[in-house]
PDB file of all heavy atoms in Angstrom:
ATOM      1  N   GLY A  94      18.595 -11.510  -7.423  1.00 83.00           N
ATOM      2  CA  GLY A  94      19.656 -10.548  -7.086  1.00 83.00           C
ATOM      3  C   GLY A  94      19.757 -10.310  -5.588  1.00 83.00           C
ATOM      4  O   GLY A  94      19.187 -11.036  -4.774  1.00 83.00           O
ATOM      5  N   LEU A  95      20.488  -9.264  -5.229  1.00 81.00           N
ATOM      6  CA  LEU A  95      20.736  -8.940  -3.819  1.00 81.00           C
ATOM      7  C   LEU A  95      19.421  -8.630  -3.101  1.00 81.00           C
ATOM      8  O   LEU A  95      18.654  -7.801  -3.560  1.00 81.00           O
ATOM      9  CB  LEU A  95      21.670  -7.725  -3.762  1.00 81.00           C
ATOM     10  CG  LEU A  95      22.359  -7.437  -2.436  1.00 81.00           C
ATOM     11  CD1 LEU A  95      23.292  -8.567  -2.043  1.00 81.00           C
ATOM     12  CD2 LEU A  95      23.128  -6.129  -2.536  1.00 81.00           C
ATOM     13  N   GLY A  96      19.187  -9.327  -1.985  1.00 83.00           N
ATOM     14  CA  GLY A  96      17.958  -9.064  -1.225  1.00 83.00           C
ATOM     15  C   GLY A  96      16.731  -9.748  -1.791  1.00 83.00           C
ATOM     16  O   GLY A  96      15.602  -9.420  -1.418  1.00 83.00           O
ATOM     17  N   ALA A  97      16.923 -10.719  -2.714  1.00 85.00           N
ATOM     18  CA  ALA A  97      15.776 -11.409  -3.328  1.00 85.00           C
ATOM     19  C   ALA A  97      14.883 -12.023  -2.257  1.00 85.00           C
ATOM     20  O   ALA A  97      15.363 -12.593  -1.283  1.00 85.00           O
ATOM     21  CB  ALA A  97      16.274 -12.500  -4.274  1.00 85.00           C
ATOM     22  N   GLY A  98      13.580 -11.892  -2.448  1.00 84.00           N
ATOM     23  CA  GLY A  98      12.620 -12.468  -1.501  1.00 84.00           C
ATOM     24  C   GLY A  98      12.291 -11.558  -0.336  1.00 84.00           C
ATOM     25  O   GLY A  98      11.367 -11.822   0.425  1.00 84.00           O
ATOM     26  N   LYS A  99      13.047 -10.473  -0.162  1.00 78.00           N
ATOM     27  CA  LYS A  99      12.796  -9.563   0.970  1.00 78.00           C
ATOM     28  C   LYS A  99      12.817  -8.100   0.556  1.00 78.00           C
ATOM     29  O   LYS A  99      11.915  -7.344   0.891  1.00 78.00           O
ATOM     30  CB  LYS A  99      13.865  -9.760   2.052  1.00 78.00           C
ATOM     31  CG  LYS A  99      13.785 -11.059   2.807  1.00 78.00           C
ATOM     32  CD  LYS A  99      14.821 -11.060   3.916  1.00 78.00           C
ATOM     33  CE  LYS A  99      15.132 -12.486   4.350  1.00 78.00           C
ATOM     34  NZ  LYS A  99      16.505 -12.620   4.773  1.00 78.00           N
ATOM     35  N   ALA A 100      13.870  -7.690  -0.146  1.00 76.00           N
ATOM     36  CA  ALA A 100      14.043  -6.265  -0.464  1.00 76.00           C
ATOM     37  C   ALA A 100      12.996  -5.806  -1.480  1.00 76.00           C
ATOM     38  O   ALA A 100      12.481  -6.602  -2.254  1.00 76.00           O
ATOM     39  CB  ALA A 100      15.442  -6.036  -1.031  1.00 76.00           C
ATOM     40  N   ALA A 101      12.681  -4.515  -1.458  1.00 75.00           N
ATOM     41  CA  ALA A 101      11.745  -3.949  -2.432  1.00 75.00           C
ATOM     42  C   ALA A 101      12.453  -3.727  -3.760  1.00 75.00           C
ATOM     43  O   ALA A 101      13.608  -3.306  -3.803  1.00 75.00           O
ATOM     44  CB  ALA A 101      11.182  -2.635  -1.910  1.00 75.00           C
ATOM     45  N   ASP A 102      11.734  -4.034  -4.838  1.00 80.00           N
ATOM     46  CA  ASP A 102      12.256  -3.813  -6.182  1.00 80.00           C
ATOM     47  C   ASP A 102      11.868  -2.388  -6.601  1.00 80.00           C
ATOM     48  O   ASP A 102      10.695  -2.079  -6.767  1.00 80.00           O
ATOM     49  CB  ASP A 102      11.620  -4.838  -7.135  1.00 80.00           C
ATOM     50  CG  ASP A 102      12.130  -4.703  -8.558  1.00 80.00           C
ATOM     51  OD1 ASP A 102      12.781  -3.690  -8.860  1.00 80.00           O
ATOM     52  OD2 ASP A 102      11.875  -5.614  -9.367  1.00 80.00           O
ATOM     53  N   LEU A 103      12.876  -1.538  -6.765  1.00 80.00           N
ATOM     54  CA  LEU A 103      12.602  -0.122  -7.054  1.00 80.00           C
ATOM     55  C   LEU A 103      12.770   0.231  -8.532  1.00 80.00           C
ATOM     56  O   LEU A 103      12.958   1.386  -8.886  1.00 80.00           O
ATOM     57  CB  LEU A 103      13.518   0.756  -6.194  1.00 80.00           C
ATOM     58  CG  LEU A 103      13.289   0.631  -4.677  1.00 80.00           C
ATOM     59  CD1 LEU A 103      14.291   1.485  -3.915  1.00 80.00           C
ATOM     60  CD2 LEU A 103      11.879   1.033  -4.294  1.00 80.00           C
ATOM     61  N   THR A 104      12.695  -0.796  -9.401  1.00 84.00           N
ATOM     62  CA  THR A 104      12.876  -0.565 -10.841  1.00 84.00           C
ATOM     63  C   THR A 104      11.906   0.498 -11.369  1.00 84.00           C
ATOM     64  O   THR A 104      12.285   1.419 -12.083  1.00 84.00           O
ATOM     65  CB  THR A 104      12.636  -1.881 -11.620  1.00 84.00           C
ATOM     66  OG1 THR A 104      13.410  -2.901 -11.009  1.00 84.00           O
ATOM     67  CG2 THR A 104      13.018  -1.747 -13.080  1.00 84.00           C
ATOM     68  N   TYR A 105      10.610   0.331 -11.026  1.00 85.00           N
ATOM     69  CA  TYR A 105       9.591   1.265 -11.551  1.00 85.00           C
ATOM     70  C   TYR A 105       9.796   2.669 -10.977  1.00 85.00           C
ATOM     71  O   TYR A 105       9.588   3.672 -11.642  1.00 85.00           O
ATOM     72  CB  TYR A 105       8.179   0.776 -11.204  1.00 85.00           C
ATOM     73  CG  TYR A 105       7.879  -0.614 -11.716  1.00 85.00           C
ATOM     74  CD1 TYR A 105       7.655  -1.673 -10.845  1.00 85.00           C
ATOM     75  CD2 TYR A 105       7.836  -0.865 -13.089  1.00 85.00           C
ATOM     76  CE1 TYR A 105       7.390  -2.955 -11.326  1.00 85.00           C
ATOM     77  CE2 TYR A 105       7.577  -2.148 -13.580  1.00 85.00           C
ATOM     78  CZ  TYR A 105       7.357  -3.181 -12.685  1.00 85.00           C
ATOM     79  OH  TYR A 105       7.106  -4.438 -13.163  1.00 85.00           O
TER      80      TYR A 105
END
Side-chain angles (χ1 to χ4, degrees):
L95 196 63
K99 290 185 201 148
D102 181 348
L103 296 177
T104 310
Y105 303 115

